[in-house]
Amino acid sequence: MRRVFALTAILTILGIANAHAEDTLSPLHFQSQGPLGTIDKAAAQRGYEVYKSVCAGCHSLGKVHYRDLEALGLTPAQAAGEALAAGGTLNSPIKGAAPLNMGGAIPPDLSSIAAQRPGGPNYIYNYLTGFGPAPAGVTLLPGHNYNAAFPGGQTAMPDVLHDGAVTYQDGVQPTKAQEAADVAEFLAWAADPNLDARHQIGFRAIIFFAFLTIIAVASKRKVWRTQA
Amino acid sequence: MTAQTNQSWAASRLPCLASLCACLNARTMAPGGSYFAAFPFLIAVLAAFLSLSGIVLAVFYNPWHAFASVQFINRDVNQGWLIRTYHATGTTLIFALAYLHLFRSILIRAYRAPAEFSWLMSVKLLLVLLLTGWLGFVLTGGAAGHLSLVNAANAALSLGGLPGAVGLWFLGGPAGQGTLARLEVFHALLGISLLLVVWAYFASRKAAAQVEPAKAVAFYPYYLAQYFAALAVLAFIFVLLGFYAPGVSGVAANHIPAGGLALPLGAGVPWYLAPAAGLLGVFPTAKLAVAAAIVAVVLLYALPWLDRSGPDGAKGKVYCFFTWVLALDVLGLGLAAAGVLPFSPVLAVLFTGWFFFHFLVLTPVVTAMEAK
Amino acid sequence: MAEPTASHAPGESRRDFLTILAAATGAVAAGAILWPVVDALNPDQAAEGTGQLIVNVSDIAENTAKTVQWGGLPVTIRRLSAADIAANQDELVVPSTLPAPADFASRVNAGYPSFVVVVGLNTATPCALEGDSPSEPRGDYNGWVCPCDGSQYDPLGRVRKGPAKRNLAIPRYTFINPSQIRLG
């Protein structure tokens, strides 16, 4: 029982620490990571801007709908506005299938990419900032670019982010690293939109069931003590 | 008391209620039962829980668009992600309990006469669980599940003979789109049949129980209180796993839809299938693997008769020691299948060999020795 | 239970506070665990989603209506003329004299009283109504008429002449802003 208390105490402390954690780029930290992580909605909203203005040209996001954006803190009217601006409705996917084919490489749908790649948002960040000149001795395939994070080192995707590739409403400086981190958090949310609910419900459930366990065991002992 | 009159009113019109009450109040149970003895009860509760969550999943699951429908459940069904968490975490826990229950049954030799039938049902429980769990893993439509299905179908195709025919009947030919539709039905039927197996287990355990009448206690309130406490602990563990380690029940590669160009390397299987996968994996051909599986199953079933110590043979230290070694061996098989051990392929062969050696040689020899 | 005390001789202590607390907490737990199973069968997001339609109403001229298809039904949105509003708001038409009494406030959204949103199906014979544009037949009450059985409705969608006996149904809708409404 003491262990149960200790565990809940530790989890509480972690939770508080987490709530105050700031989204920092060095060292790279995503608020959504860790056992008590929550989606950083401001970052994810900025990430949506990046997706919309940069990535959507090539990548679909077929499982996420405009209505889902309300979970990121957009009002229903704002979400409807986004949908209308894209010629869709609240129920349209943010972007359907992209039939684009770039020299044999097809840009994957990004809905679940953060769950599909080991490392999740960290990998996406590293991938988006991992472009650079090929080191000596590496010959690039036609239509490919060097990328330090990509398995094999060369990817058909070009280096698309740069300082000021988008303008942020909230005044955050759109550096390349910031854009990459924001879109990574957005994609982490897209891949696991229930993260916040899971951690919230889980936290309450742990406390509740710890309580239930204690009284159930105590009551069992009491009942058995009456045994003749 | 009105409650009492009500009860007799109902009981006189539905006599099985009276026998249920009598059953709950009859002093037939051992005094001071261990929490481990509650595992089959927990397994029964989890089987019911899995059936319930499975029914909800079946409402939305679409075998023709398996992966997309699972995504839909996760993203668009009210509490869909929670229902999936229920089903996945419930699977992990029911397997954990089944493995522990079997281990304890071997350790305390709960299989001996007159409880052989309980043992047979315990083994059957694990086998039905393994098949159901594998089907569930395949049904997700993820790349890992699909790879496993393709391997199974290829094995069935290459087998020939009766096992091949059975395999092809089960899978309906090479893994195609319609395969999942039939597997969904089999998954549900097998899952619900678990309840029957557990029931048969309880019935036979009750028949075989030898309790000194003077010391016996009733289910109500003693075991009710104990089972309730056991359930509370289970729920606590459930919450920890389900909400904070939702990945334990699956494999990462199942996040990728099946049918992509690149089959993920080392896709693997969920932990609860890993020991079986490790054992089957060491055999180079499907024929050998099937033969080995049959032998392993027969050996497990035959355990009450492999034990040569007779009905009242004392529990020996050497026997206990080797039972613990067997547990490590099964664990090792799972780890080797997951490829996390160095020299995994070699170790898997060793562990598989030991598994057969344990039942074929060690069990009869050690029990016979210690009986003297 | 024929002999309720047979199985626990020493005292009645098993029904004590602790046991009751444990049982009650257990019942709460069971309820909390089972609730998602029930909730999962409520309409899912996609069904809710397709159940919603956003209609632009800024392009509807006074005294005309526009009909959109929603959930398999024709939903008619009419912008009332100032005369219609005045006549009804001041109860020149006495609601209690109508076949199905309903006052102005019950037929419009309080914040946007110039719009009437109804299901454009006659309530007797289920026919689509005529009268959206002033050039169509509108009957004696400048509302809608049914081409099948001749039932007549006023601009608020209240039945004025049979065989229909009920007013036009009002679907669930919300104004997102003065120029957009969401159906569903």
Side-chain angles (χ1 to χ4, degrees), chain B residues 4 7 21 25 27 49 52-53 56 59-60 72 75-80 82-83 86 218 220-222 228 235, chain C residues 1-2 4 6-8 10 14-15 22-23 25-26 32-37 39-46:
Chain B
Q4 217 174 324
Q7 226 156 28
C21 286
N25 284 308
R27 295 163 165 243
F49 182 69
L52 189 67
S53 50
V56 175
V59 170
F60 299 100
F72 180 79
R75 292 170 183 274
D76 294 319
V77 172
N78 300 301
Q79 323 292 349
L82 197 49
I83 305 290
Y86 279 8
Y220 178 82
Y222 300 108
F228 183 71
Chain C
M1 275 181 286
S7 59
H8 52 97
R14 72 188 162 79
R15 282 198 189 278
T25 317
I33 290 169
L34 291 182
W35 164 244
V37 174
D39 189 30
L41 297 181
N42 275 323
D44 57 58
Q45 295 302 305

Side-chain angles (χ1 to χ4, degrees), chain A residues 38-132:
Chain A
T38 50
I39 299 292
D40 181 344
K41 290 185 177 158
Q45 276 194 31
R46 293 194 298 270
Y48 167 65
E49 289 297 324
V50 177
Y51 169 78
K52 190 172 69 174
S53 34
V54 183
C55 324
C58 302
H59 290 280
S60 59
L61 195 65
K63 302 287 181 203
V64 188
H65 305 89
Y66 284 104
R67 60 170 186 256
D68 301 327
L69 290 176
E70 291 173 27
L72 282 187
L74 270 69
T75 63
Q78 279 172 326
E82 289 293 323
L84 219 56
T89 70
L90 275 177
N91 301 305
S92 325
I94 287 181
K95 187 169 182 285
L100 199 71
N101 183 337
M102 301 172 66
I106 298 162
D109 184 278
L110 294 184
S111 307
S112 295
I113 199 85
Q116 291 166 344
R117 297 289 182 271
N122 274 316
Y123 168 74
I124 296 171
Y125 175 87
N126 290 336
Y127 177 64
L128 293 175
T129 55
F131 292 92

Side-chain angles (χ1 to χ4, degrees), chain A residues 3 7 25 30 42 66 79 81 103 112 114-115 126 145 148 157 170 178-179 191 215-216:
Chain A
R3 246 177 265 154
L7 192 69
L25 291 177
F30 292 98
Y66 284 104
S112 295
N126 290 336
N145 309 289
M157 174 168 146
D170 59 3
Q178 186 69 46
E179 291 160 3
I215 57 173

Side-chain angles (χ1 to χ4, degrees), chain A residues 18 21 28 40 51 58 64 104 125 140 147 152 157 188 195 201 207 215-216 219:
Chain A
N18 223 297
L28 187 63
D40 181 344
Y51 169 78
C58 302
V64 188
Y125 175 87
L140 293 174
N147 186 308
M157 174 168 146
L195 180 89
I201 298 175
I207 294 173
I215 57 173
S219 128

Side-chain angles (χ1 to χ4, degrees), chain B:
Chain B
M1 255 165 65
T2 29
Q4 217 174 324
T5 18
N6 278 345
Q7 226 156 28
S8 50
W9 179 88
S12 64
R13 282 153 183 81
L14 197 58
C16 64
L17 276 184
S19 53
L20 180 68
C21 286
C23 200
L24 295 181
N25 284 308
R27 295 163 165 243
T28 54
M29 301 187 76
S34 127
Y35 270 105
F36 285 105
F39 278 16
F41 164 74
L42 297 180
I43 289 173
V45 171
L46 281 172
F49 182 69
L50 285 166
S51 303
L52 189 67
S53 50
I55 287 170
V56 175
L57 293 179
V59 170
F60 299 100
Y61 179 74
N62 178 347
W64 303 94
H65 303 280
F67 191 83
S69 69
V70 173
Q71 287 275 310
F72 180 79
I73 293 171
N74 263 350
R75 292 170 183 274
D76 294 319
V77 172
N78 300 301
Q79 323 292 349
W81 64 276
L82 197 49
I83 305 290
R84 279 203 74 213
T85 304
Y86 279 8
H87 211 64
T89 313
T91 305
T92 274
L93 287 179
I94 202 172
F95 267 102
L97 289 170
Y99 281 123
L100 287 175
H101 167 67
L102 278 192
F103 168 68
R104 175 173 180 269
S105 301
I106 300 179
L107 190 67
I108 66 168
R109 299 204 285 184
Y111 50 76
R112 281 181 308 162
E116 299 101 323
F117 200 82
S118 316
W119 169 255
L120 297 185
M121 287 303 108
S122 303
V123 174
K124 180 166 208 100
L125 178 83
L126 182 70
L127 298 180
V128 175
L129 266 180
L130 284 172
L131 191 50
T132 315
W134 179 73
L135 288 172
F137 164 61
V138 167
L139 283 181
T140 56
H146 186 71
L147 183 63
S148 188
L149 176 63
V150 169
N151 288 341
N154 286 344
L157 281 174
S158 72
L159 265 180
L162 185 65
V166 172
L168 287 180
W169 176 85
F170 191 77
L171 297 172
Q177 275 232 302
T179 313
L180 293 186
R182 63 171 52 219
L183 296 191
E184 183 191 4
V185 175
F186 292 154
H187 176 75
L189 287 179
L190 284 167
I192 291 172
S193 77
L194 278 175
L195 289 167
L196 276 180
V197 178
V198 182
W199 171 79
Y201 169 85
F202 277 122
S204 61
R205 185 172 87 171
K206 196 176 167 202
Q210 296 151 315
V211 189
E212 215 179 298
K215 288 193 183 147
V217 299
F219 179 84
Y220 178 82
Y222 300 108
Y223 278 90
L224 182 64
Q226 193 205 27
Y227 284 10
F228 183 71
L231 261 185
V233 175
L234 182 75
F236 185 76
I237 299 172
F238 185 98
V239 168
L240 274 184
L241 288 179
F243 291 96
Y244 291 99
V248 285
S249 313
V251 292
N254 251 7
H255 286 295
I256 303 169
L261 297 176
L263 276 179
L265 290 170
V269 294
W271 73 267
Y272 45 81
L273 300 176
L279 193 144
L280 295 180
V282 302
F283 297 95
T285 68
K287 275 203 181 73
L288 283 176
V290 168
I294 293 174
V295 173
V297 168
V298 169
L299 283 178
L300 276 174
Y301 273 134
L303 185 57
W305 298 278
L306 291 172
D307 183 323
R308 306 309 307 159
S309 61
D312 37 34
K315 181 165 109 179
K317 287 219 167 62
V318 185
Y319 176 85
C320 272
F321 172 76
F322 279 121
T323 306
W324 279 100
V325 174
L326 177 71
L328 290 181
D329 180 66
V330 171
L331 190 72
L333 265 177
L335 293 177
V340 289
L341 297 179
F343 312 112
S344 282
V346 184
L347 284 180
V349 175
L350 282 180
F351 291 147
T352 303
W354 183 268
F355 183 86
F356 289 108
F357 179 69
H358 176 94
F359 287 104
L360 269 177
V361 182
L362 277 180
T363 306
V365 171
V366 171
T367 48
M369 252 169 46
E370 288 191 327
K372 282 180 202 143

